[in-house]
Amino acid sequence: MSKKLLKKIFNKALNKVKAESIINDNISVKKSVVKIIDKKINLKDINNLYIFAVGKAAYSMAKECENILGEKIKSGIVISSSKGELKYLKHFTSTHPEVSQKSIDAGNLLFESVKKLKKNDSFIFLLSGGASAMIEKPIDGLNLDDFKKISSSLLKSGIDIKALNSVRKSISQIKGGKLSNEIKAKGTVLVLSDVIGDDLNTIGSAPMNNGKFSHHIIGNNKIALKEAKAFIKDKVEKTKIITTSLDKESAEAASFISKKIQEYDKKYETFCLLFGGETTTVVKSDGGYGGRNQELALRLLINNSINDKISILCAGSDGIDGHSSSNGAFIDFDLYGKIIKEELNPKEYLENSDSNTFFKKLGYDFNTGITGTNVMDFVIVVKQK
């Protein structure tokens, strides 16, 4: 099987949207002038420069900012689900995907910190996916237990990220641009997008997006898959990015991908098809392990989407896939023989929302660990001779 090649393609896509790439491509410094995208800030003209960062990629993005800007940074707050110390910035480890007391503490810390900025200060705000759960300040009258019940029910319901974040905004004092209302300083928001269409009203529930500060997308699914395409295009007859906005329900997505595979299988001896986006799935059993990527891989397997020349990797770019230790799964033709040998029934695991247990038993789970970035999911299909 092409596990090795699939991993290489995945890593090419992933590395293009990791902190080292996206921050170095968009922030630089020369003497006292800091350049952010196409905007220049002369540090002699401002009081202090602050860095704020929230989301799954916050720690790694902030650390790269420290590497570039060093002691030019006055201070700032970084909130992520990672662990680690920073030299100039205070790092607070919060929770994801569910809101907790840590989320409330982090939200209050950030809220109070940005309020202290002076009019002649400047800041860079680094926003990435996961921020919705990591910072919270519930509306008056709503306690943490009520908030958690609402959030947990929404996560298990299978609704898409836009609908999820819309509800989150309505019960928050920090989301939907409300955080930016507290800031007197000038600043720029750099965004690593984890939503389809790069909707600034949706990413991280838009804490800074009320029209007051400019937002710039510096990393997304499209940028990642373009890098993957550049890597693989000379190794196969045909390479195609089919979509970067795969937002279908799991079963529908599997059917769509299967049809595309059949279409290209008839035309080409070798190919690589790339899909990006984020499918939805309804959790049917609280006892199961897995997530949308492993469920999608399981459905593609059940659909007989592969043959002896085709293999697939479905994986999340953030290193996480639902309630499991993996971020995805491989499938190939050899898997059918292993299923018979182990006497497993794939449909039972699908019904129990237990895709991770299935793939783990067969050694086909994919696990990178936390990647430090997040641009939704990748589905990589390869046909080799």
Side-chain angles (χ1 to χ4, degrees), residues 4-22:
K4 195 172 179 181
L5 180 58
L6 288 166
K7 279 183 184 177
K8 279 186 177 179
I9 298 167
F10 178 90
N11 285 330
K12 283 290 178 180
L14 185 72
N15 290 337
K16 186 63 179 175
V17 289
K18 279 193 168 182
E20 188 175 353
S21 292
I22 61 175

Side-chain angles (χ1 to χ4, degrees), residues 157-363:
S157 69
I159 66 170
D160 66 29
I161 190 69
K162 288 186 179 180
L164 178 66
N165 284 349
S166 178
V167 178
R168 282 170 165 168
K169 287 177 194 176
S170 69
I171 56 176
S172 170
Q173 294 186 60
I174 210 166
K175 294 173 169 42
K178 293 170 189 173
L179 180 65
S180 59
N181 293 335
E182 307 300 318
I183 304 175
K184 300 183 189 74
K186 291 182 177 138
T188 303
V189 185
L190 303 183
V191 185
L192 179 63
S193 172
D194 70 328
V195 303
I196 287 163
D198 300 333
D199 182 6
L200 293 173
N201 286 314
T202 302
I203 302 164
S205 293
M208 296 292 290
N209 192 33
N210 69 348
K212 194 174 175 183
F213 303 108
S214 61
H215 284 56
H216 302 271
I217 303 288
I218 59 171
N220 61 11
N221 193 275
K222 188 175 183 179
I223 290 168
L225 289 186
K226 276 187 174 180
E227 187 73 6
K229 182 182 178 182
F231 166 73
I232 193 65
K233 69 177 183 180
D234 295 332
K235 299 174 179 63
V236 290
E237 185 184 351
K238 180 69 176 178
T239 304
K240 179 76 174 176
I241 298 174
I242 301 296
T243 181
T244 58
S245 56
L246 185 69
D247 61 349
K248 304 174 186 296
E249 190 276 326
S250 182
E252 195 182 345
S255 177
F256 172 74
I257 293 167
S258 295
K259 284 174 184 174
K260 287 295 177 183
I261 291 171
Q262 290 168 16
E263 179 188 329
Y264 280 78
D265 193 26
K266 289 173 185 174
K267 295 180 184 177
Y268 304 102
E269 286 192 16
T270 63
F271 62 73
C272 177
L273 304 182
L274 300 164
F275 302 79
E278 194 167 281
T279 60
T280 56
T281 183
V282 177
V283 178
K284 296 176 183 176
S285 169
D286 289 337
Y289 292 87
R292 59 180 179 265
N293 287 287
Q294 290 162 95
E295 179 170 313
L296 180 59
L298 190 52
R299 286 187 183 278
L300 288 167
L301 182 73
I302 292 167
N303 283 3
N304 297 313
S305 304
I306 47 179
N307 55 38
D308 59 349
K309 294 178 181 177
I310 293 172
S311 54
I312 302 173
L313 171 61
C314 304
S317 61
D318 59 358
I320 302 164
D321 190 38
H323 185 42
S324 79
S325 59
S326 305
N327 51 318
F330 298 99
I331 59 170
D332 69 356
F333 198 67
D334 293 341
L335 202 47
Y336 293 115
K338 292 177 186 290
I339 291 166
I340 294 167
K341 187 179 177 182
E342 295 294 327
E343 298 181 342
L344 300 180
N345 184 344
K347 288 182 180 178
E348 280 185 13
Y349 288 90
L350 181 64
E351 284 301 312
N352 292 325
S353 298
D354 201 19
S355 52
N356 178 250
T357 302
F358 173 82
F359 285 114
K360 215 164 191 176
K361 279 184 178 180
L362 297 165

Side-chain angles (χ1 to χ4, degrees), residues 53-58 79-81 94-99 103-104 106-107 110 125-137 147 161 165 168 172 174-175 179 191-192 194 202-208 374:
V54 188
K56 291 179 188 175
I79 298 158
S80 78
S81 52
S94 187
T95 55
H96 182 272
E98 294 197 3
V99 173
S103 310
I104 308 292
L110 183 62
F125 195 106
L126 308 168
L127 180 66
S128 56
S132 294
M134 291 177 200
I135 53 169
E136 196 45 81
K137 192 173 176 65
F147 201 97
I161 190 69
N165 284 349
R168 282 170 165 168
S172 170
I174 210 166
K175 294 173 169 42
L179 180 65
V191 185
L192 179 63
D194 70 328
T202 302
I203 302 164
S205 293
M208 296 292 290
N374 182 23

Side-chain angles (χ1 to χ4, degrees), residues 11-231:
N11 285 330
K12 283 290 178 180
L14 185 72
N15 290 337
K16 186 63 179 175
V17 289
K18 279 193 168 182
E20 188 175 353
S21 292
I22 61 175
I23 296 299
N24 276 282
D25 286 348
N26 293 285
I27 297 177
S28 60
V29 61
K30 191 173 182 181
K31 294 182 181 178
S32 65
V33 178
V34 177
K35 187 179 180 185
I36 308 163
I37 317 283
D38 54 0
K39 179 184 176 182
K40 291 181 180 179
I41 300 171
N42 193 326
L43 297 177
K44 293 177 181 177
D45 296 336
I46 66 169
N47 285 343
N48 294 299
L49 176 66
Y50 293 86
I51 304 290
F52 298 99
V54 188
K56 291 179 188 175
Y59 177 78
S60 53
M61 289 169 77
K63 194 168 188 178
E64 203 56 42
C65 276
E66 285 196 336
N67 291 340
I68 296 168
L69 300 171
E71 59 188 16
K72 290 177 171 59
I73 302 169
K74 175 67 175 176
S75 68
I77 301 294
V78 178
I79 298 158
S80 78
S81 52
S82 307
K83 291 181 180 178
E85 296 293 321
L86 293 165
K87 190 173 181 181
Y88 303 99
L89 305 168
K90 179 179 173 60
H91 180 221
F92 186 94
T93 301
S94 187
T95 55
H96 182 272
E98 294 197 3
V99 173
S100 68
Q101 185 57 48
K102 281 191 173 182
S103 310
I104 308 292
D105 294 342
N108 285 329
L109 177 64
L110 183 62
F111 198 83
E112 295 305 317
S113 296
V114 299
K115 281 174 73 173
K116 292 176 183 175
L117 298 186
K118 304 284 194 299
K119 196 174 182 179
N120 202 36
D121 288 329
S122 192
F123 69 87
I124 301 170
F125 195 106
L126 308 168
L127 180 66
S128 56
S132 294
M134 291 177 200
I135 53 169
E136 196 45 81
K137 192 173 176 65
I139 55 174
D140 292 338
L142 194 67
N143 63 36
L144 178 59
D145 284 342
D146 291 337
F147 201 97
K148 283 172 74 174
K149 284 175 187 173
I150 295 167
S151 297
S152 182
S153 297
L154 288 168
L155 283 167
K156 291 178 181 177
S157 69
I159 66 170
D160 66 29
I161 190 69
K162 288 186 179 180
L164 178 66
N165 284 349
S166 178
V167 178
R168 282 170 165 168
K169 287 177 194 176
S170 69
I171 56 176
S172 170
Q173 294 186 60
I174 210 166
K175 294 173 169 42
K178 293 170 189 173
L179 180 65
S180 59
N181 293 335
E182 307 300 318
I183 304 175
K184 300 183 189 74
K186 291 182 177 138
T188 303
V189 185
L190 303 183
V191 185
L192 179 63
S193 172
D194 70 328
V195 303
I196 287 163
D198 300 333
D199 182 6
L200 293 173
N201 286 314
T202 302
I203 302 164
S205 293
M208 296 292 290
N209 192 33
N210 69 348
K212 194 174 175 183
F213 303 108
S214 61
H215 284 56
H216 302 271
I217 303 288
I218 59 171
N220 61 11
N221 193 275
K222 188 175 183 179
I223 290 168
L225 289 186
K226 276 187 174 180
E227 187 73 6
K229 182 182 178 182
F231 166 73

